[in-house]
Amino acid sequence: MNILGISAYYHDSAAALVRDGDIVAAAQEERFTRKKHDPGFPHRAVEYCLQAGGIQLKDVHYLVFYDKPLVKFERLLETYLGFAPKGIQSFLAAMPVWMKEKLLLRSLLVKEFLVHGKGMTKTELPPVLFSEHHESHAASAFFASPYEQAVVLCMDGVGEWATTSAWKGEGNRLTPLWEIPFPHSLGLLYSAFTYYTGFKVNSGEYKVMGLAPYGEPKYVKAIYEHLLDLKPDGTFRLNMEYFNYCTGLTMTGRKFDEVFGGPPRKPESKLTQREMDLARSIQEVTEEVMLRLSRTLHRETGVENLCLAGGVALNCVGNGRILREGPFKGLWIQPAAGDAGGALGAALSVWHQFEGHPRVADGKRDKMRGSYLGPSFSNEEVERFLKEKGAPYVRLDDTALAERVAEELAAEKVVGWLQGRMEFGPRALGGRSILGDARSAKMQSVMNLKIKYRESFRPFAPSVLRERVADYFDLNADSPYMLIVAPVLERRRRPMTKAQKELWGIDLLNVPRSDIPAITHLDYSARVQTVHEDTNPRYYRLLKAFEAKTGYAVLVNTSFNVRGEPIVCTPEDAYRCFMRTEMDVLVLENCVLNKVDQPRLEKDTDWKKEFELD
């Protein structure tokens, strides 16, 4: 049985194909359209999933959408009425779109799906089902996890009504336990600070997390006193007098400005100590809420495994604290934790809950296949493209490839790396990555300023051989999806000098923190990816070759893109990004290209004009 799930019309639209309970393919629409967080109907992702499954739309048994628009419309109406007469302008702007499109979403979806139907009529289309938003999140976490039994915590901005929900998963069933309703939202609270510190909502939250270690938690008390009523069990209420998202077109209002010392920072303006302190403060509050909620779930259910999904589950610092300080024996986080993963969760929910099919879990291996669920390209396809471009390259066998690239990395070269299937979710995991030497003191600034063209404070993550992770980090667990932050081991840290201790803010950036400085953040932490031979053998082989050459089983791994651009999908995307940046080497499957050998790009456009800054 083939089930096609989609998410669309908010942000990060995606499609996923599930066959007889197995995940065949999944991808975000942005990777194909090159429009970051593309919210439109995922036509290209749908086409890819059908192609990957070797099927046509007529072979699909169910089509499923990841939330219920009528319930969401009910929430919008009740919210506007509850705050009236405030928000009348926002109401008048939103209603025509809802009346024209979203209330008629089933008809719109039928129309869009028929684009892929090759002569099919409406009556021949597979049934279109709708899952609840948080149920889709919960299903993406539990049904894809390795656990037979687990509790699931979903935290995001808002679905239909729920902003936080708890579920108990057993076998092939999910049972709702409780939820926190809109407008009281941990995700929207964090997004309010994202907006206030000058970053883009639904895009820049991870920047706030990366900025936090540069600041002090000066505003924690103010957050608790004015914005957030947090209970001992982790449940909470927000004081809506300080927020505009229910009635206006901004996240925060004048009273928020009064508490935190002025208006929001203008995007792209200079970061000050205030933004750093705000980031640190909201990060600490968020972690506290996450910890309290997880402890409450364990106390209420006695279940030993926890699964996480929803946008807040991408807060890998909070995840790391749950792993280290929480009561659970097992923790698993859906790698596509945001709305893109809802497409997968909706499809899995139909298979297990609607159709009632059983589920097998061995407690060890999850169902995500390393999250390598996107398109791949053969060497023949790569070579055909390179020859058309007139791009000089050499093709190496796997052993020679690992040796050559390890040598380039050890010489502090920056390497673009496209291998196998593209990752599903926001993290590059060795399929579409930019790689560097973690031992290099200059690598972070080089990558940020000359490759990624992004803010200098943003940290980079390490990829490490799974069997070596405890040699570098205070972590002895799988972290294949780069969703857990762990401390760098004490013995690898470098003590700060007296002069260095007197530095503050961004001035601390260039102080080496350990013997792997390129991936050691200001607070001696790192967002760890463990690399496993069974899910990515070629990337694993590269790390082994680098370890043999240098004695270090760690590489810098960042996503293959420039700022504002979606992660690359095709060899053409990768080559264009390679040529527009100061990357030294490009690896496309078994083909290796040196920058110095390449011809100049003709009629190239400036990436800053092509991609809107995130």
Side-chain angles (χ1 to χ4, degrees), residues 2 11 13 47 120 128 151 169 204 234 247 253 479 497 535 541 551 556 571 583:
N2 295 304
H11 59 88
S13 67
E47 200 60 39
M120 294 176 68
V128 179
V151 286
T247 59
S479 180
T497 66
T535 55
R541 193 179 301 118
V556 180
M583 263 182 274

Side-chain angles (χ1 to χ4, degrees), residues 109-135:
L109 289 174
V110 166
K111 177 183 174 183
E112 300 287 21
F113 277 123
L114 281 173
V115 171
H116 305 273
K118 296 179 181 177
M120 294 176 68
T121 65
K122 290 181 181 181
T123 56
E124 295 171 319
L125 201 67
V128 179
L129 306 178
F130 294 82
S131 172
E132 288 189 351
H133 187 97
H134 268 235
E135 185 175 11

Side-chain angles (χ1 to χ4, degrees), residues 473-610:
F473 307 102
D474 184 13
L475 177 69
N476 194 14
D478 292 348
S479 180
Y481 305 123
M482 206 184 281
L483 286 171
I484 293 172
V485 163
V488 173
L489 290 179
E490 290 276 357
R491 61 183 171 84
R492 293 193 173 276
R493 300 181 185 183
R494 291 178 180 170
M496 295 177 68
T497 66
K498 184 178 179 181
Q500 288 170 342
K501 288 179 180 178
E502 293 176 358
L503 299 173
W504 60 277
I506 296 297
D507 292 334
L508 289 163
L509 177 67
N510 295 320
V511 178
R513 299 276 158 174
S514 73
D515 65 340
I516 40 176
I519 55 82
T520 303
H521 203 18
L522 202 68
D523 55 358
Y524 296 102
S525 71
R527 189 181 71 203
V528 179
Q529 179 205 1
T530 54
V531 179
H532 303 246
E533 187 174 15
D534 60 333
T535 55
N536 197 332
R538 183 172 281 179
Y539 193 35
Y540 180 91
R541 193 179 301 118
L542 173 61
L543 277 159
K544 291 288 284 187
F546 187 77
E547 182 185 30
K549 189 170 292 291
T550 66
Y552 281 70
V554 184
L555 288 173
V556 180
N557 175 12
T558 188
S559 57
F560 199 153
N561 60 338
V562 293
R563 183 184 173 196
E565 179 189 19
I567 295 173
V568 301
C569 176
T570 67
E572 183 176 3
D573 298 334
Y575 185 77
R576 186 186 308 114
C577 186
F578 169 64
M579 293 299 292
R580 286 174 168 178
T581 66
E582 296 183 47
M583 263 182 274
D584 302 297
V585 177
L586 175 62
V587 181
L588 302 174
E589 294 299 331
N590 287 80
C591 300
V592 181
L593 296 79
N594 271 311
K595 175 64 68 62
V596 294
D597 299 330
Q598 302 307 308
R600 293 187 64 178
L601 278 182
E602 295 180 8
K603 298 180 181 178
D604 188 36
T605 57
D606 185 350
W607 68 267
K608 293 178 184 177
K609 296 178 181 177
E610 184 174 342

Side-chain angles (χ1 to χ4, degrees), residues 292-534:
R292 289 192 191 186
L293 287 172
S294 62
R295 287 167 176 158
T296 295
L297 267 178
H298 185 267
R299 185 174 63 251
E300 289 178 347
T301 65
V303 175
E304 296 296 341
N305 300 309
L306 173 66
C307 298
L308 298 176
V312 178
L314 295 173
N315 193 305
C316 47
V317 181
N319 297 342
R321 287 195 63 189
I322 290 174
L323 181 66
R324 292 190 303 275
E325 303 172 39
F328 291 96
K329 292 181 180 177
L331 173 65
W332 193 85
I333 306 144
Q334 166 55 240
D339 278 10
L344 174 60
L348 289 171
S349 186
V350 169
W351 172 256
H352 289 299
Q353 299 200 109
F354 186 75
E355 281 289 315
H357 291 289
R359 174 176 167 272
V360 177
D362 63 7
K364 298 176 183 178
R365 294 173 61 90
D366 66 37
K367 309 297 193 301
M368 290 297 295
R369 304 185 184 204
S371 211
Y372 306 111
L373 298 167
S376 64
F377 300 87
S378 67
N379 278 306
E380 289 67 34
E381 289 174 300
V382 168
E383 289 195 89
R384 190 159 52 247
F385 163 73
L386 293 175
K387 287 173 182 175
E388 288 174 358
K389 277 286 180 186
Y393 69 94
V394 294
R395 179 171 170 174
L396 305 173
D397 63 32
D398 284 359
T399 301
L401 178 73
E403 290 293 326
R404 167 74 178 275
V405 178
E407 186 176 308
E408 300 278 20
L409 289 165
E412 293 190 284
K413 300 288 183 65
V414 179
V415 177
W417 176 263
L418 183 150
Q419 298 288 333
R421 297 184 72 176
M422 181 180 68
E423 301 90 338
F424 181 51
R427 305 284 180 246
L429 303 170
R432 304 290 186 276
S433 293
I434 299 173
L435 308 176
D437 187 347
R439 303 170 303 158
S440 171
K442 68 179 184 179
M443 190 57 62
Q444 187 201 16
S445 60
V446 167
M447 279 190 159
N448 266 330
L449 301 177
K450 294 186 176 183
I451 311 298
K452 303 285 281 187
Y453 302 113
R454 67 185 196 181
E455 299 92 343
S456 61
F457 69 85
R458 286 163 64 177
F460 287 105
S463 291
V464 59
L465 293 171
R466 170 62 183 92
E467 62 270 26
R468 296 284 188 267
V469 65
D471 295 337
Y472 298 90
F473 307 102
D474 184 13
L475 177 69
N476 194 14
D478 292 348
S479 180
Y481 305 123
M482 206 184 281
L483 286 171
I484 293 172
V485 163
V488 173
L489 290 179
E490 290 276 357
R491 61 183 171 84
R492 293 193 173 276
R493 300 181 185 183
R494 291 178 180 170
M496 295 177 68
T497 66
K498 184 178 179 181
Q500 288 170 342
K501 288 179 180 178
E502 293 176 358
L503 299 173
W504 60 277
I506 296 297
D507 292 334
L508 289 163
L509 177 67
N510 295 320
V511 178
R513 299 276 158 174
S514 73
D515 65 340
I516 40 176
I519 55 82
T520 303
H521 203 18
L522 202 68
D523 55 358
Y524 296 102
S525 71
R527 189 181 71 203
V528 179
Q529 179 205 1
T530 54
V531 179
H532 303 246
E533 187 174 15
D534 60 333

